Amino acid sequence: MQTALARSTEATIEVCGLDLCDEIMGHVPLSGVAFLELSGRLPTESELRLIDAMLVSLVEHGLTPSALAARLTYHGAPESLQAAVAAGLSGLGSVFVGTIEGSARLVQEALRDDDGTADLAQLADELVARSRAERRFIPGVGHPLHKSGDPRAARLFAIARDAGLYGRHAELMELVGAAAAVHYGRKLPVNVTGAIGSLASELGFPWQVCRGLGVMSRAIGLVGHLAEELRTPLAGEIVDYAAPVRPTAV
Amino acid sequence: MQTALARSTEATIEVCGLDLCDEIMGHVPLSGVAFLELSGRLPTESELRLIDAMLVSLVEHGLTPSALAARLTYHGAPESLQAAVAAGLSGLGSVFVGTIEGSARLVQEALRDDDGTADLAQLADELVARSRAERRFIPGVGHPLHKSGDPRAARLFAIARDAGLYGRHAELMELVGAAAAVHYGRKLPVNVTGAIGSLASELGFPWQVCRGLGVMSRAIGLVGHLAEELRTPLAGEIVDYAAPVRPTAV
Amino acid sequence: MQTALARSTEATIEVCGLDLCDEIMGHVPLSGVAFLELSGRLPTESELRLIDAMLVSLVEHGLTPSALAARLTYHGAPESLQAAVAAGLSGLGSVFVGTIEGSARLVQEALRDDDGTADLAQLADELVARSRAERRFIPGVGHPLHKSGDPRAARLFAIARDAGLYGRHAELMELVGAAAAVHYGRKLPVNVTGAIGSLASELGFPWQVCRGLGVMSRAIGLVGHLAEELRTPLAGEIVDYAAPVRPTAV
Amino acid sequence: MQTALARSTEATIEVCGLDLCDEIMGHVPLSGVAFLELSGRLPTESELRLIDAMLVSLVEHGLTPSALAARLTYHGAPESLQAAVAAGLSGLGSVFVGTIEGSARLVQEALRDDDGTADLAQLADELVARSRAERRFIPGVGHPLHKSGDPRAARLFAIARDAGLYGRHAELMELVGAAAAVHYGRKLPVNVTGAIGSLASELGFPWQVCRGLGVMSRAIGLVGHLAEELRTPLAGEIVDYAAPVRPTAV
């Protein structure tokens, strides 16, 4: 069996054809290695700036369901920090974070045969109308807290523009947000997962792996939560809130 | 590669040497199949009664950390019920449920070279004294809620006695509870995981797999919690309690 | 917060309104408790026979992807058996086992407004024709090994008939298999997950939780695989096959 | 409930007291955010260089047990990429990667009361002698493939020296490797997890969270493996190798 990702001898390790010690460590930052893993090549300077900002934007979001699940798992199995991170990641599905996949799929499928001349505003309007007719949820727009606009999305699109990487996938995504506002009669601006899904599409990542960007980021943030849980535990308080009579589990 | 657990042809499936359809389904109940998986042979009538009660005792314990983690994971990824159960199981470690392993190890190691003549009360006293001196936690005794005695443990020991399967591992475990009360000056009766760990030892299961009994049981209970979560969701309430400003995650 | 599944005091534990120690342990077998968790009531004698056979049928399937993932995880973290089971369960998705959900959904949605007079053969024909037109996979039919018929499915339907629980969901599922054979020009008999999905529908379980039956069963089987891995490890052989130069990971 | 990691309003998100959009995204690279999550403060330039190299060194290691488990899980549940990463991470325990924790603990406990005057060579000799007497495994030394020395460890120590961050924890770890060679009569140089464990100690991370560094890195690498699995699947080949008769699971 062969993987193109790595090859090792007794004295050397190659990752995607580069010497890990001589050409990667100390030369390519972590986000660049993430890009290398996904694309098989190093990012350009602009691509690196963009993917780094994308990954950074999702690391930390406070006491999300995912962070709570990780902390509760750590509470029962502190000797297996990796299992607590795994538990936290398991919830990054269709409702939270995994929506990166949905928004990437939306714009990639819509632009699959695009030759650069499609009317994006019209396309966005059709996508939203169809979603609404089929009572499907539009991935990547709206946010329960950031109702007037997700500041991370705005920042990511700005960085993409500045890096010369804001293309038709990103534009379509923003137009979908605008069309959604019209169809639903309330503000539904692109949120951080919509921005990441569409910008990942600009970077050439297939939609099937795009939620992986959120998984990478959140793995880092979950370790942060467990480090805090070690210092100042919160899990017991959640348990007490849920089952004030005290748990019967042993 | 070979497993002794199963063998299949186009028309038949054998599990541990028995025909699954003709000799197991409809003939051996689920707990018996669990015993078969662990021992490679069918249980006797008495063994079946005991393992069934052991497995039944741990299925459900209310809103434990594990159940909460499963519900929070389901909240984010309702399309992956299996991942929510996986998240819930991940916390069955050294603090909850996994203590079955600790108590099984305690009695199995203590009785490894036992020829049936060791003074169990003295052995129990030594085990507790040593744990205390090394500031180690004694697995399988005490309970935050059931302070005067865990009713499940009493019931399991009674069933074991009745089935003629109460032996020296179980006796030693109960004596450890009694010795702990003397050394620590407060009631520390054997809890359900201590009962299961010692009775699993009577059934001949190696301590390394004994927490697997709790994992089997709890997998069933966690599916029950997710079925309830589908009908009457609680996860959102936990999230609101933890982060009342509303989550920033999308 | 309240769960209807359990309630505890210092001296008692209730599960679904029954006293765990006095009314469940030693009286209701494990499969019956699984039914209780899902339905909130005890099964009848017939329901118990059926759910027990359903759960038993899926416990063990040899070296499946799920069993291999569990063994590989145990190889790296033998101190966390629960995490290895969790890893194995995580793969019970849309391709394996999770198809229980798909087949349950298929028959439940098709019979939602059924008053007992719908022509099931015609309904099956329409379902298959539509799936084929939309290039969607029909869940619960066909099997890579058991090409002429999955012996577990036949056995489960026989037990259901015998128990008086073979109803229109089960009949529709078998007719879907027959219709699929006509449309695709090859044998596509109902497999074990199709049988379980349709029989779970007879038992009144909502399709969203039906894959949970496979999760319960397989959790038991995975512990069996880890117990075997402890005695006769296979994981190292898989690793050597995959990366014969030896792993570089430490 | 309060976490010091994040705070949000409708228009802003703060991570560890910094504005996520204005002060972190585009300014602090991913490794710096990882440091921030663990320490609550931004790294210095030198600390950033070191943690970045540490994290980069562990991202990719080819077809490790962890990567195989992730690929096998994805094979069954391709709709839940996050669950496949979770399965892969679950095996980062006491045998692989989790040894970071062991080596960090070794040097942190040995130097807890160190005032900078302890004789490190003597300390290393005592640590190895004690481990050997107690038949305990020394974490962080030796490697099945890189027998003459793990090139990643050498590179990490060089970067640490260059950054002025090579201190007594790192020195002690290297001396432990040297002492192990004397006691065991064969080369046992510090491996990558020993290097990371000791350098994480230089950065002030408590040993209990140090395996989290490997978890962060490997989460990135596992997404890379799943992206490759999507393009050129290997899981089926493993399944065929393990169960050539074909799986019976559906």
Side-chain angles (χ1 to χ4, degrees):
Chain A
M1 288 179 58
Q2 290 271 345
T3 170
L5 296 171
R7 214 164 53 180
S8 300
T9 66
E10 193 181 324
T12 62
I13 299 163
E14 265 182 29
V15 173
C16 298
L18 298 171
D19 187 90
L20 173 61
C21 297
D22 294 346
E23 298 179 284
I24 299 180
M25 289 167 66
H27 301 290
V28 183
L30 187 60
S31 295
V33 179
F35 187 99
L36 180 65
E37 283 279 317
L38 289 172
S39 301
R41 66 165 175 85
L42 290 175
T44 63
E45 197 67 27
S46 298
E47 287 166 338
L48 178 60
R49 274 183 60 207
L50 180 57
I51 194 173
D52 190 60
M54 288 160 61
L55 290 171
V56 159
S57 71
L58 273 185
V59 167
E60 178 55 62
H61 291 86
L63 295 173
T64 58
S66 162
L68 296 174
R71 285 172 180 258
L72 286 160
T73 302
Y74 187 69
H75 184 59
E79 70 284 2
S80 302
L81 181 137
Q82 75 280 4
V85 176
L89 294 180
S90 296
L92 304 182
S94 62
V95 180
F96 302 108
V97 178
T99 44
I100 296 173
E101 181 177 310
S103 55
R105 182 177 192 171
L106 183 81
V107 296
Q108 289 185 23
E109 292 191 340
L111 296 176
R112 193 161 30 195
D113 304 317
D114 175 46
D115 59 358
T117 63
D119 180 332
L120 296 182
Q122 192 189 320
L123 193 51
D125 190 73
E126 288 164 13
L127 288 170
V128 171
R130 198 185 319 146
S131 285
R132 202 178 182 201
E134 297 172 2
R135 290 163 176 277
R136 278 188 295 103
F137 159 78
I138 303 171
V141 302
H143 195 287
L145 172 62
H146 306 298
K147 293 186 209 301
S148 310
D150 185 327
R152 298 165 294 181
R155 177 76 171 124
L156 285 174
F157 286 131
I159 290 173
R161 276 196 187 86
D162 198 53
L165 291 165
Y166 184 95
R168 290 172 67 78
H169 294 94
E171 192 181 348
L172 177 58
M173 192 72 225
E174 292 207 275
L175 289 166
V176 163
V182 173
H183 281 266
Y184 290 88
R186 59 188 165 98
K187 282 192 183 173
L188 281 169
V190 178
N191 61 39
V192 68
T193 67
I196 292 176
S198 61
L199 293 171
S201 305
E202 298 294 345
L203 293 175
F205 302 148
W207 62 261
Q208 292 92 335
V209 305
C210 287
R211 79 166 67 178
L213 295 167
V215 172
M216 293 174 177
S217 297
R218 211 47 87 80
I220 294 174
L222 289 173
V223 175
H225 277 271
L226 299 175
E228 188 181 67
E229 185 72 18
L230 177 70
R231 294 189 303 270
T232 53
L234 297 179
E237 196 182 326
I238 302 166
V239 176
D240 283 343
Y241 171 72
V245 207
R246 297 309 322 265
T248 70
V250 173
Chain B
M1 287 179 60
Q2 290 270 347
T3 170
L5 296 172
R7 214 165 50 178
S8 302
T9 65
E10 194 182 323
T12 61
I13 299 164
E14 265 182 28
V15 173
C16 297
L18 298 171
D19 187 273
L20 173 61
C21 296
D22 294 345
E23 298 179 285
I24 299 180
M25 289 166 66
H27 302 289
V28 183
L30 188 59
S31 295
V33 179
F35 188 98
L36 180 65
E37 283 279 317
L38 289 172
S39 301
R41 66 166 176 87
L42 289 175
T44 64
E45 197 69 26
S46 298
E47 287 166 337
L48 178 59
R49 276 184 58 208
L50 180 56
I51 193 172
D52 190 61
M54 288 160 61
L55 290 171
V56 159
S57 72
L58 273 185
V59 167
E60 179 54 63
H61 291 86
L63 296 172
T64 59
S66 162
L68 297 174
R71 286 171 179 258
L72 287 159
T73 303
Y74 188 69
H75 183 60
E79 71 284 3
S80 301
L81 181 138
Q82 76 280 5
V85 176
L89 295 180
S90 297
L92 304 181
S94 62
V95 180
F96 302 107
V97 178
T99 45
I100 295 173
E101 180 177 311
S103 56
R105 182 177 192 170
L106 184 80
V107 295
Q108 289 185 22
E109 293 190 341
L111 295 176
R112 193 162 31 198
D113 305 317
D114 175 46
D115 59 358
T117 62
D119 180 332
L120 296 181
Q122 190 188 324
L123 193 51
D125 190 73
E126 288 164 12
L127 288 170
V128 172
R130 199 185 320 145
S131 286
R132 200 177 184 202
E134 297 172 3
R135 290 162 176 278
R136 278 188 295 104
F137 161 77
I138 302 171
V141 302
H143 195 287
L145 172 62
H146 306 296
K147 292 186 209 302
S148 309
D150 185 327
R152 298 164 294 182
R155 177 77 171 123
L156 285 174
F157 286 131
I159 289 174
R161 275 198 189 86
D162 197 53
L165 290 166
Y166 183 96
R168 291 171 68 77
H169 294 95
E171 191 180 349
L172 177 58
M173 193 72 226
E174 292 207 276
L175 289 166
V176 164
V182 174
H183 281 266
Y184 290 89
R186 58 189 166 97
K187 283 193 182 172
L188 282 169
V190 177
N191 61 40
V192 68
T193 67
I196 292 177
S198 62
L199 293 172
S201 305
E202 298 294 344
L203 294 175
F205 303 147
W207 62 262
Q208 292 93 335
V209 306
C210 288
R211 77 166 69 177
L213 294 166
V215 172
M216 292 174 177
S217 297
R218 210 47 86 81
I220 293 173
L222 289 173
V223 176
H225 277 271
L226 298 176
E228 187 181 67
E229 185 71 18
L230 176 70
R231 293 189 304 268
T232 53
L234 296 179
E237 196 183 326
I238 303 165
V239 176
D240 283 344
Y241 171 72
V245 206
R246 298 306 326 263
T248 71
V250 173
Chain C
M1 287 179 63
Q2 289 271 347
T3 171
L5 296 170
R7 214 164 53 178
S8 301
T9 66
E10 194 182 323
T12 62
I13 299 164
E14 265 183 28
V15 174
C16 298
L18 298 171
D19 187 89
L20 173 60
C21 296
D22 293 346
E23 298 179 283
I24 300 181
M25 289 168 66
H27 302 290
V28 183
L30 188 59
S31 296
V33 179
F35 187 99
L36 180 64
E37 283 279 318
L38 290 172
S39 302
R41 66 166 175 87
L42 289 176
T44 65
E45 198 67 28
S46 297
E47 287 166 337
L48 178 60
R49 274 183 60 207
L50 181 55
I51 194 172
D52 190 60
M54 289 161 60
L55 289 171
V56 159
S57 71
L58 273 185
V59 167
E60 179 54 63
H61 293 85
L63 296 172
T64 57
S66 162
L68 297 173
R71 286 172 179 259
L72 286 159
T73 302
Y74 188 69
H75 184 60
E79 71 284 3
S80 302
L81 182 136
Q82 76 281 5
V85 175
L89 294 180
S90 297
L92 304 182
S94 62
V95 180
F96 303 108
V97 179
T99 46
I100 295 172
E101 179 178 311
S103 54
R105 183 178 191 170
L106 184 80
V107 296
Q108 289 184 23
E109 292 191 342
L111 296 176
R112 194 163 25 195
D113 304 319
D114 176 45
D115 60 358
T117 62
D119 180 332
L120 296 182
Q122 190 188 321
L123 193 52
D125 190 72
E126 287 165 11
L127 289 169
V128 172
R130 198 185 321 146
S131 285
R132 200 176 185 203
E134 297 173 2
R135 290 161 177 279
R136 277 187 295 102
F137 159 78
I138 302 171
V141 302
H143 195 287
L145 173 61
H146 305 298
K147 292 186 209 301
S148 310
D150 185 327
R152 298 165 293 182
R155 178 77 170 122
L156 285 174
F157 286 130
I159 289 173
R161 275 197 189 85
D162 199 53
L165 290 165
Y166 184 95
R168 289 171 68 78
H169 294 95
E171 191 179 349
L172 177 59
M173 192 72 226
E174 293 208 273
L175 289 166
V176 163
V182 174
H183 281 266
Y184 290 89
R186 60 189 165 95
K187 284 192 182 170
L188 282 169
V190 177
N191 61 40
V192 68
T193 66
I196 292 176
S198 61
L199 293 171
S201 304
E202 299 294 346
L203 294 175
F205 302 147
W207 62 261
Q208 291 93 333
V209 305
C210 288
R211 79 167 65 177
L213 295 166
V215 171
M216 292 173 177
S217 297
R218 210 47 85 79
I220 293 174
L222 289 172
V223 175
H225 277 271
L226 298 175
E228 187 182 67
E229 185 71 19
L230 176 71
R231 295 190 302 269
T232 54
L234 296 179
E237 196 181 326
I238 303 166
V239 176
D240 283 344
Y241 171 73
V245 206
R246 300 308 322 268
T248 70
V250 172
Chain D
M1 286 178 62
Q2 290 271 346
T3 170
L5 296 171
R7 214 164 51 178
S8 301
T9 66
E10 194 181 322
T12 62
I13 299 165
E14 265 183 30
V15 174
C16 298
L18 298 171
D19 186 90
L20 173 59
C21 296
D22 293 345
E23 298 179 285
I24 300 181
M25 289 167 67
H27 302 290
V28 183
L30 188 59
S31 296
V33 178
F35 188 98
L36 180 65
E37 283 278 318
L38 290 172
S39 301
R41 66 166 175 87
L42 289 176
T44 64
E45 197 69 27
S46 298
E47 287 166 337
L48 178 60
R49 277 183 57 207
L50 181 56
I51 194 172
D52 190 61
M54 289 161 59
L55 290 171
V56 159
S57 71
L58 272 186
V59 168
E60 179 54 65
H61 293 87
L63 296 171
T64 57
S66 161
L68 297 174
R71 286 172 179 259
L72 287 158
T73 302
Y74 188 69
H75 184 58
E79 72 283 2
S80 302
L81 182 138
Q82 76 280 3
V85 175
L89 294 180
S90 297
L92 304 182
S94 62
V95 180
F96 303 107
V97 178
T99 45
I100 295 172
E101 180 176 310
S103 54
R105 183 177 192 170
L106 184 80
V107 296
Q108 288 184 23
E109 292 190 341
L111 296 176
R112 193 162 30 197
D113 304 318
D114 175 46
D115 61 356
T117 63
D119 180 332
L120 296 181
Q122 192 189 321
L123 193 52
D125 190 73
E126 289 166 11
L127 288 170
V128 171
R130 199 185 321 147
S131 286
R132 202 179 183 200
E134 296 172 4
R135 292 162 176 277
R136 278 187 295 102
F137 161 77
I138 303 171
V141 302
H143 196 287
L145 172 62
H146 306 298
K147 292 186 208 303
S148 309
D150 185 326
R152 297 165 293 182
R155 177 75 170 124
L156 284 174
F157 285 131
I159 289 173
R161 275 195 188 86
D162 198 53
L165 291 165
Y166 184 95
R168 289 170 68 80
H169 294 96
E171 190 179 349
L172 177 58
M173 192 73 225
E174 293 208 277
L175 289 166
V176 163
V182 173
H183 281 266
Y184 290 88
R186 59 191 166 95
K187 283 190 183 175
L188 282 169
V190 178
N191 61 40
V192 67
T193 67
I196 292 176
S198 61
L199 293 171
S201 305
E202 298 294 345
L203 293 175
F205 303 147
W207 62 262
Q208 291 93 334
V209 305
C210 287
R211 77 166 67 178
L213 295 166
V215 172
M216 292 174 178
S217 296
R218 212 44 89 77
I220 294 174
L222 289 172
V223 176
H225 276 270
L226 298 175
E228 188 181 68
E229 186 72 17
L230 176 70
R231 293 189 304 270
T232 54
L234 296 178
E237 197 181 325
I238 303 166
V239 176
D240 283 344
Y241 171 73
V245 206
R246 298 308 324 267
T248 70
V250 171

